[in-house]
Amino acid sequence: MGTTRTRTRFATRALLLQLVTVALVVALCTGVYLLLAVQQLRAEAESTALGIARTVAEDPQVRSEVSRISAADGVPAAVDLRDGMLQQLAAGVTARTDALFVVITDDEGIRLAHPLPSRLGEEVSTPYREVLAGQEVVDWQTGTLGESARAKVPVLDDAGTPVGEVSVGFERSGVFDDLPPLLATIGLTAVGALSLAVLAFLLLRRRWERMTLGVQPEELVALVQNQAAVLDGVDDGVIAVDPQGIVRVSNERAESLLGLRSPVGRALTDLGLPSSVLDAVTGARALSGAVIDGRVLYLDSRAVLREGRPLGDVLVVRDRTDVVAIAERLETVRSMSSALRVQRHEFANRMHVAAGLIDADRIDEARAFLGELVERGPVAYPVPGLVLLADPFLQAFLGAKGVEAAERGVELRIAEETQLFGTVTEPEDAAAVIGNLIDNAVTAAVGGERVPRWVEVSVLDDGTELVVTVADSGAGVGGHGRSAPGDDEAAVHGHGIGLPLSREIARRSGGDLWILDPGDDDHGAVFAARLGGAVTRRDTDPQETP
């Protein structure tokens, strides 16, 4: 209801504003045109009267007769003038030109010809001295026949001296006979202009609503405010792409996460984004995660529709680096907890055996059993070579991984060249990196065709650095379930982020993660990782470790 009222208010205001504007323009133009038309009609009437007056004044008979009467003494008799030549000539000109009157006077202003015979022999009612002085006068004056547009021209004798005047006038109503049709034309034009204005408004409103999807100006203000609040107030990156693949909206967070610079107005394919991001936006493949510049990003792309019309796609980019890192560490803790539970259970069982032997006074057998327990350790993990690791953390962690690998039909073993003199001081980072490499290797071994399936781990220390290599019996890099550390498109450990995240953890400590061998006919891929500052020598105080 609110939207409908807003839309109605806008449409009404726009229509009224446009109609008022057109009406004002039409009124202004009409007034100016009428003024010009009246002036033109007046000018035409005055020009016609002047032309007729000049023609009559230059007639030889008129000049001769007026000169004769002006030269005679006294006022001519009205009876003589009524049937005289001047009266007949003036009546004929009046009839031919539809003039109101044609008046001829002598040098004293006495009417020698007039439409009303009763006025003959009388002095004219309008000024005539200026004309008898030799000047032509064109003006609107009111006389005995009413207001008229009149022209007065002097009648000259043979010597060129004014001896009378000719006055020709056109009635006011006759001058403006063309105004009613003109006003009707102007009125029809105004109605047509208003009709065009209404039609233009309807078309404009339809076009406006199509372009703005029915959103009105008042709503656009709210949309801009909401967009600014959403884009700048969330911690997620947002990129909106139109159906042509042009970026229309991008907030600072998206530009920071994806390493973009001024993407708005540019094609998405021209921004140098990884193919994984482009595929997520276009929907070419289902992808929920990507690793870009060492950051684990979750991508959520959705098509935008309004009333069945596709408007493009919106990509939401979420930084989940810290979450994934914590998840990896939690997985490590889970593995360690499982190992400790197994160790505790096994150790309790062995203690019960030792106690039973002692209670049965089988002291020698109890002593031998305890000696074997000290030599072999409290738990018998299915990891050959585990005794080569003196560090209790790695023993327990790799033992737990060995149990998990055995459940999947893979043997986890420790390489003979393993040699660790120090103690691991960064168990979380070490567990995250080593655990990821082992899990990835176990997955590759399970998917490989070699039998038996195995994973081999070698652990060395180099000063304070921990160096680990992991080999497997899988198909190698590019085979089933394996990828290079920088390949964020392959499905590694179910997320496509295991190896890249491990490499990022190693690099944060000054180390790295790389491929030693992509694999051959004898074994699968061999990965190596170096963790800086992860080991402390046994003969060195951990607090003094650089």
Side-chain angles (χ1 to χ4, degrees):
M1 292 295 292
T3 302
T4 303
R5 288 196 299 270
T6 300
R7 184 176 303 173
T8 303
R9 289 198 302 270
F10 171 72
T12 302
R13 288 200 303 269
L15 177 59
L16 291 178
L17 178 61
Q18 187 167 359
L19 291 179
V20 169
T21 302
V22 173
L24 290 177
V25 172
V26 170
L28 178 61
C29 294
T30 301
V32 173
Y33 187 76
L34 283 177
L35 178 62
L36 295 177
V38 169
Q39 291 179 347
Q40 182 177 1
L41 291 176
R42 289 170 62 98
E44 289 179 356
E46 293 171 354
S47 176
T48 301
L50 180 62
I52 295 173
R54 286 176 176 174
T55 301
V56 174
E58 292 175 358
D59 187 276
Q61 294 180 352
V62 173
R63 295 176 61 186
S64 175
E65 184 66 15
V66 172
S67 297
R68 183 186 66 79
I69 295 175
S70 296
D73 295 333
V75 177
V79 177
D80 298 335
L81 296 175
R82 186 176 298 120
D83 296 327
M85 183 271 297
L86 295 179
Q87 178 69 8
Q88 295 177 3
L89 186 147
V93 172
T94 300
R96 290 194 304 269
T97 61
D98 293 328
L100 176 63
F101 61 85
V102 175
V103 176
I104 303 174
T105 69
D106 61 7
D107 56 351
E108 297 295 334
I110 302 301
R111 297 185 183 96
L112 305 180
H114 194 277
L116 299 177
S118 60
R119 299 289 185 178
L120 293 175
E122 299 178 356
E123 186 177 352
V124 295
S125 60
T126 57
Y128 58 90
R129 298 296 180 185
E130 186 176 0
V131 179
L132 293 178
Q135 298 181 8
E136 295 179 344
V137 175
V138 178
D139 196 3
W140 285 74
Q141 295 179 351
T142 301
T144 56
L145 298 177
E147 184 180 9
S148 61
R150 62 185 65 190
K152 298 179 180 180
V153 177
V155 178
L156 306 178
D157 59 9
D158 294 338
T161 302
V163 293
E165 71 169 2
V166 175
S167 178
V168 177
F170 286 90
E171 189 178 9
R172 181 183 185 87
S173 59
V175 172
F176 297 112
D177 286 343
D178 295 334
L179 277 182
L182 184 61
L183 289 175
T185 302
I186 294 176
L188 292 176
T189 303
V191 173
L194 292 176
S195 300
L196 289 177
V198 173
L199 178 61
F201 166 74
L202 295 176
L203 295 176
L204 180 61
R205 185 174 66 176
R206 182 179 178 184
R207 176 64 175 170
W208 172 277
E209 292 183 352
R210 289 185 59 187
M211 293 180 62
T212 62
L213 306 177
V215 179
Q216 302 305 305
E218 294 86 350
E219 298 172 311
L220 289 176
V221 175
L223 285 178
V224 172
Q225 294 173 343
N226 295 338
Q227 174 182 306
V230 171
L231 294 182
D232 298 334
V234 298
D235 194 43
D236 296 337
V238 179
I239 294 180
V241 184
D242 65 11
Q244 288 72 40
I246 305 299
V247 178
R248 296 304 180 189
V249 176
S250 176
N251 63 356
E252 294 182 1
R253 184 60 173 167
E255 296 174 11
S256 174
L257 293 176
L258 298 178
L260 304 178
R261 181 174 297 176
S262 302
V264 177
R266 299 166 58 188
L268 190 69
T269 54
D270 297 338
L271 301 179
L273 293 172
S275 58
S276 57
V277 179
L278 297 178
D279 291 344
V281 175
T282 59
R285 59 182 295 184
L287 181 66
S288 60
V291 178
I292 300 178
D293 294 334
R295 305 194 70 84
V296 180
L297 305 180
Y298 278 10
L299 309 176
D300 184 8
S301 178
R302 298 184 181 181
V304 180
L305 301 175
R306 183 178 178 90
E307 297 179 356
R309 175 184 174 186
L311 303 180
D313 299 275
V314 173
L315 177 67
V316 179
V317 185
R318 298 182 176 92
D319 186 2
R320 292 296 182 264
T321 305
D322 296 336
V323 175
V324 173
I326 292 175
E328 294 287 340
R329 285 176 167 80
L330 288 177
E331 179 65 20
T332 300
V333 173
R334 187 195 64 80
S335 299
M336 290 299 300
S337 299
S338 298
L340 290 174
R341 282 195 298 270
V342 173
Q343 187 179 48
R344 177 183 176 278
H345 180 73
E346 183 69 17
F347 184 75
N349 290 337
R350 294 192 178 190
M351 288 298 99
H352 283 300
V353 173
L357 292 174
I358 294 174
D359 291 340
D361 290 332
R362 299 165 62 179
I363 304 302
D364 293 337
E365 294 180 12
R367 189 183 301 278
F369 179 78
L370 291 175
E372 183 181 357
L373 181 62
V374 171
E375 182 180 353
R376 294 179 55 185
V379 179
Y381 290 114
V383 182
L386 189 60
V387 296
L388 297 175
L389 292 172
D391 183 77
F393 166 73
L394 288 181
Q395 274 193 354
F397 179 70
L398 294 179
K401 287 295 181 182
V403 174
E404 293 179 355
E407 293 175 352
R408 302 181 65 184
V410 179
E411 180 188 43
L412 176 64
R413 65 195 184 199
I414 306 301
E416 295 180 356
E417 61 269 18
T418 294
Q419 191 172 24
L420 181 63
F421 295 103
T423 302
V424 175
T425 56
E426 296 293 339
E428 292 183 352
D429 289 347
V433 175
I434 298 174
N436 221 315
L437 290 178
I438 293 176
D439 291 338
N440 204 30
V442 170
T443 301
V446 171
E449 298 180 354
R450 294 188 180 93
V451 179
R453 298 181 176 91
W454 53 266
V455 173
E456 186 175 81
V457 180
S458 173
V459 182
L460 300 170
D461 57 353
D462 182 10
T464 60
E465 294 184 342
L466 179 66
V467 181
V468 181
T469 60
V470 179
D472 60 69
S473 61
V477 173
H480 179 76
R482 298 304 295 270
S483 69
D487 185 1
D488 59 358
E489 294 183 5
V492 180
H493 198 198
H495 298 288
I497 56 178
L499 289 177
L501 181 61
S502 298
R503 183 181 60 181
E504 182 65 19
I505 293 175
R507 287 182 174 180
R508 285 205 302 262
S509 65
D512 205 349
L513 186 150
W514 67 97
I515 301 176
L516 283 179
D517 189 341
D520 54 27
D521 294 336
D522 297 328
H523 59 80
V526 180
F527 283 80
R530 179 187 294 271
L531 299 174
V535 177
T536 300
R537 290 286 188 175
R538 291 182 180 179
D539 56 352
T540 306
D541 187 355
Q543 295 181 353
E544 297 176 359
T545 302

